[in-house]
Amino acid sequence: MSTSRKKYLLKNTAIFALGSFGTKFISFFLVPLYTNILTTSEYGTVDMISTIGMVLVPLLTLNICEAVMRFSLDENADLNKIISVGICSLFLAIFAGGIIFPVTAKIKSLNEYAVYVYMYAVSLAFSQMFLCYLRGKELLLRYSIGNIIQTFCVALFNILFLVQFNKGIKGYLLAYIIANFVTAMYAMVAGNVFNAMKHFSFDSKLLVQMVKYAIVLVPNSFMWWIMNSSDRLMVTAMVGVAANGIYAVAYKIPTLLSSVTQVFNQAWSYSAIREEGSSDEEKYNNDIYNRLVVIVCICAAGLMMVMKFFLRYYVGAEYYIAWKYTPVLIIGFIFSTLGTFVATAYTVHKDSMGYLVSGTAGAMVNIILNFALIPQMGAMGAALATAASYFIVFYYRIRDTKKYLKLYIWQKRHIFAGTLLLVQAITMFINNPVGQLLLILEFCVMILIYVNDIKQLFFAVTKICRLKNKKEH
């Protein structure tokens, strides 16, 4: 792997890390606030509203923000025309969002929050659109700063509305709405969107191309919503809103793992597009894939080792039981991360159909298993369904993307590591000091499995840093 490749990937990873870890650091300290001020039922309700908002945005905007990002990365892209299409989709979202009111009217627990759900979805559409435009222009530092601003505003206004004014659910949602609009305004200034609006240029041919790319991603977004979020709605319906509040906390823990790997996958997409057609493209992809496996397995093993101790002090006492669902969800998020990496091939080749078919397969498995397992096992059934659906998506994408490049996944050390993670997941249920000691020993074994890979990663990073320092001096 050439040094320039490494530097480009490392630079982008560092920039995305700035935004992601900054936001996660702030969010990390918000969970104790939520779990100590909101009851499990209230937290279950706000989680359900944010879950609905996530699926509404791609429906209301036809997912054009993804097309704005991808088309802006093309050589000789006309950025004014691209963002003009994006702005048109936002006006569509404002009017189409009216469908939220009759829908929420039929859901008893959401009826009084209809206006908040509408404003949450519209504000999220605005922030996502202009943040995607920053990514498309490769203004990645400004994009990361935008994410930090968004999370900082969420924290600031949540403290104000929940602690100072005791606004409960409405205060929680209002904090997100204001934060989203503030972020959208920042991204518009940072991306020079106002200048593009002065030179508004509508290109019907470009609109058709972008819609053709993005429209397929709408059902794909819905399928991913099913895998990521529908289980919480089904837990609410079948078990209760309080159970969903606990499960939602458990769901947040694996996102610590996904936030680390999401940073890498975001940066990797730029490198993959840049390397398309290179003579050693397949070897390069396999090298990066192997390093990603090392990172996710070690992070997952570490999370399982500290999980029960961590939750005992991190969340309110009534949420501590959430640890039971975390080992299954952590394993599921490993496959989600690896599946996202593999799907970069779809982005490179603008194969949105690959996203759709793989997402549909995972969503179908998720729904079937949710209906089968939640009535029998409660929230644990939802966790198992989520993990299984992520595995199906990963497996499908590995097979389907062979038409672009082949990844060699069946390596002995990866198989040993996967087996060890399953053993760790079972060990977590030995709820005594012996079980904790075993978790520590299993984590040490994981380090031994990947000790050579860790050394290679360390030397690669230090080499790049030394070269950078030489150039600066």
Side-chain angles (χ1 to χ4, degrees):
M1 197 190 307
S2 70
T3 303
S4 61
R5 280 173 165 176
K6 291 178 182 177
K7 286 179 68 176
Y8 182 72
L9 181 56
L10 186 62
K11 181 195 75 173
N12 287 344
T13 302
I15 293 172
F16 280 118
L18 170 67
S20 180
F21 295 155
T23 60
K24 297 304 176 185
F25 180 78
I26 297 170
S27 298
F28 178 84
F29 289 101
L30 287 178
V31 173
L33 173 70
Y34 298 150
T35 57
N36 283 284
I37 290 181
L38 300 174
T39 66
T40 53
S41 295
E42 287 175 329
Y43 195 69
T45 300
V46 297
D47 179 73
M48 181 166 58
I49 291 172
S50 60
T51 297
I52 292 171
M54 286 170 59
V55 75
L56 280 174
V57 171
L59 288 173
L60 297 178
T61 63
L62 299 180
N63 219 23
I64 289 294
C65 61
E66 291 292 332
V68 166
M69 191 273 288
R70 180 61 188 89
F71 277 70
S72 296
L73 288 169
D74 288 338
E75 288 187 35
N76 303 317
D78 191 324
L79 296 176
N80 278 2
K81 290 182 178 179
I82 290 170
I83 193 58
S84 294
V85 172
I87 291 169
C88 288
S89 76
L90 290 177
F91 281 105
L92 172 66
I94 291 171
F95 292 106
I99 194 174
I100 291 172
F101 294 99
V103 171
T104 53
K106 295 183 179 180
I107 305 175
K108 185 177 180 181
S109 59
L110 299 183
N111 192 18
E112 64 177 299
Y113 306 113
V115 174
Y116 291 88
V117 176
Y118 171 81
M119 293 303 297
Y120 177 82
V122 171
S123 66
L124 187 59
F126 272 72
S127 65
Q128 285 187 1
M129 178 65 67
F130 298 120
L131 285 174
C132 279
Y133 186 54
L134 290 179
R135 286 186 63 187
K137 294 178 73 173
E138 293 199 60
L139 299 173
L140 302 185
L141 181 58
R142 298 180 191 181
Y143 166 78
S144 293
I145 292 172
N147 284 327
I148 294 175
I149 290 172
Q150 187 174 37
T151 312
F152 177 78
C153 288
V154 167
L156 178 65
F157 289 113
N158 261 313
I159 292 171
L160 181 65
F161 295 136
L162 292 181
V163 179
Q164 186 67 28
F165 298 129
N166 195 28
K167 290 292 186 179
I169 293 173
K170 291 180 179 179
Y172 176 96
L173 295 172
L174 192 57
Y176 273 88
I177 292 167
I178 295 173
N180 287 337
F181 279 127
V182 169
T183 305
M185 287 300 297
Y186 159 80
M188 290 177 74
V189 173
N192 203 17
V193 173
F194 291 107
N195 184 61
M197 292 171 68
K198 289 180 183 177
H199 301 90
F200 185 88
S201 178
F202 185 78
D203 186 329
S204 58
K205 290 184 179 179
L206 178 63
L207 170 67
V208 171
Q209 292 173 357
M210 291 176 67
V211 169
K212 284 176 68 176
Y213 174 78
I215 197 72
V216 178
L217 295 176
V218 173
N220 174 67
S221 297
F222 183 65
M223 298 307 167
W224 274 98
W225 174 81
I226 290 174
M227 286 184 284
N228 288 325
S229 306
S230 68
D231 50 352
R232 273 121 74 185
L233 298 180
M234 295 177 79
V235 167
T236 299
M238 297 181 186
V239 186
V241 70
N244 180 56
I246 294 170
Y247 181 66
V249 168
Y251 206 88
K252 284 185 178 296
I253 302 306
T255 59
L256 293 172
L257 173 62
S258 68
S259 28
V260 173
T261 54
Q262 183 184 21
V263 164
F264 181 82
N265 277 328
Q266 285 177 324
W268 168 243
S269 64
Y270 289 87
S271 293
I273 292 171
R274 193 184 196 192
E275 295 296 328
E276 181 187 5
S278 61
S279 58
D280 61 343
E281 181 182 5
E282 186 170 294
K283 181 181 182 302
Y284 181 48
N285 275 260
N286 275 280
D287 287 344
I288 299 299
Y289 172 80
N290 287 325
R291 293 179 182 185
L292 180 60
V293 174
V294 173
I295 292 169
V296 295
C297 287
I298 292 175
C299 288
L303 277 176
M304 289 193 204
M305 178 178 66
V306 303
M307 188 54 59
K308 284 189 281 189
F309 177 82
F310 170 71
L311 282 178
R312 189 176 297 279
Y313 297 97
Y314 181 55
V315 298
E318 59 184 328
Y319 291 88
Y320 174 70
I321 196 174
W323 73 262
K324 292 185 177 180
Y325 314 123
T326 56
V328 177
L329 290 172
I330 287 170
I331 291 174
F333 271 86
I334 290 174
F335 288 113
S336 173
T337 293
L338 298 180
T340 301
F341 176 88
V342 176
T344 305
Y346 295 142
T347 301
V348 171
H349 297 277
K350 292 185 180 177
D351 180 7
S352 48
M353 188 59 69
Y355 279 109
L356 174 60
V357 176
S358 59
T360 301
M364 289 175 63
V365 169
N366 188 271
I367 290 174
I368 292 169
L369 291 181
N370 273 331
F371 275 113
L373 298 179
I374 291 176
Q376 304 299 322
M377 305 173 67
M380 180 59 77
L384 289 168
T386 297
S389 63
Y390 285 146
F391 173 77
I392 292 297
V393 172
F394 167 73
Y395 181 74
Y396 176 89
R397 287 177 174 177
I398 283 289
R399 294 184 64 87
D400 186 48
T401 55
K402 285 181 180 178
K403 60 193 176 189
Y404 302 124
L405 56 88
K406 185 176 180 181
L407 292 176
Y408 301 94
I409 64 170
W410 302 111
Q411 300 181 36
K412 286 183 180 180
R413 69 189 193 283
H414 297 336
I415 294 172
F416 288 151
T419 303
L420 181 60
L421 286 173
L422 291 174
V423 172
Q424 263 196 302
I426 295 169
T427 304
M428 281 191 69
F429 289 88
I430 303 175
N431 206 16
N432 57 41
V434 174
Q436 187 60 48
L437 179 61
L438 287 173
L439 287 171
I440 295 171
L441 291 174
E442 288 158 357
F443 176 74
C444 292
V445 173
M446 181 67 75
I447 296 295
L448 288 174
I449 290 173
Y450 285 127
V451 65
N452 290 329
D453 297 274
I454 294 170
K455 289 178 181 177
Q456 290 176 11
L457 275 169
F458 176 77
F459 289 135
V461 173
T462 53
K463 182 180 178 182
I464 293 171
C465 291
R466 283 199 302 270
L467 288 171
K468 184 178 180 182
N469 287 333
K470 283 182 181 179
K471 285 187 176 182
E472 289 176 350
H473 293 88

